[in-house]
Amino acid sequence: MMRGMGNMQNMMKQMQKMQKKMEEAQVQLGEEKIEGTAGGGMVTVIVTGHKEIVDVQIKPEVVDPDDVEMLQDLVLAATNDALKKAEELSSKTMGQFTKGMNLPGGMF
C-alpha cells in the first residue's frame, strides 16, 4: 500500500466531518429569526437565516389610506434590512468553513 493512501483516507474523513458540520450549520441558520425594521419600528419584518419571510408586523398608526406609498416604502425598507442582516449572518456562519480553503470560483 502506498503511503499517500493513508493521507487520502484521512483527508476524506476530515471532509466528511466538515460536511456534517456545514449541514448542521445550515439547519441552524434556518431556525434563526432575524428582524428588520423601518420607520422607527413602525414596520417589522422577520426572516429566517435562509432568507424566508416568516412575519410582517405593521403598527396601526402607520396605516394611512391617503399615503399607501409610504407604507409600501416602509415594508420594502424593513424587508431589505432583514434580508441584509440574514445575508451577513449566513456569510459569517458558512464562511467559517471556507476560510483557509482555496476553492476555485467560490464553490460555497
Side-chain angles (χ1 to χ4, degrees):
M1 186 160 120
M2 290 189 267
R3 263 191 342 186
M5 292 300 281
N7 283 344
M8 190 67 167
Q9 279 182 323
N10 196 25
M11 202 165 89
M12 292 300 286
K13 279 183 186 165
Q14 292 295 96
M15 290 296 284
Q16 286 170 341
K17 269 187 199 172
M18 185 188 294
Q19 187 172 1
K20 190 171 183 347
K21 284 183 178 176
M22 284 174 70
E23 288 168 4
E24 288 167 2
Q26 276 286 6
V27 168
Q28 198 172 357
L29 258 180
E31 292 169 357
E32 289 287 331
K33 300 283 187 276
I34 300 110
E35 188 176 287
T37 61
M42 288 297 193
V43 176
T44 303
V45 173
I46 313 267
V47 298
T48 68
H50 290 164
K51 301 177 202 95
E52 281 181 39
I53 297 171
V54 292
D55 195 17
V56 176
Q57 299 163 4
I58 299 170
K59 298 247 169 109
E61 56 267 31
V62 81
V63 180
D64 179 353
D66 297 326
D67 194 0
V68 174
E69 262 183 44
M70 183 191 68
L71 181 56
Q72 290 169 335
D73 288 345
L74 288 174
V75 171
L76 194 61
T79 302
N80 285 329
D81 183 43
L83 290 175
K84 184 174 152 249
K85 289 176 182 173
E87 181 61 39
E88 288 167 2
L89 179 66
S90 179
S91 291
K92 195 171 96 181
T93 302
M94 299 315 289
Q96 66 185 327
F97 298 107
T98 56
K99 70 178 174 222
M101 295 175 72
N102 295 322
L103 298 172
M107 283 172 61
F108 292 101

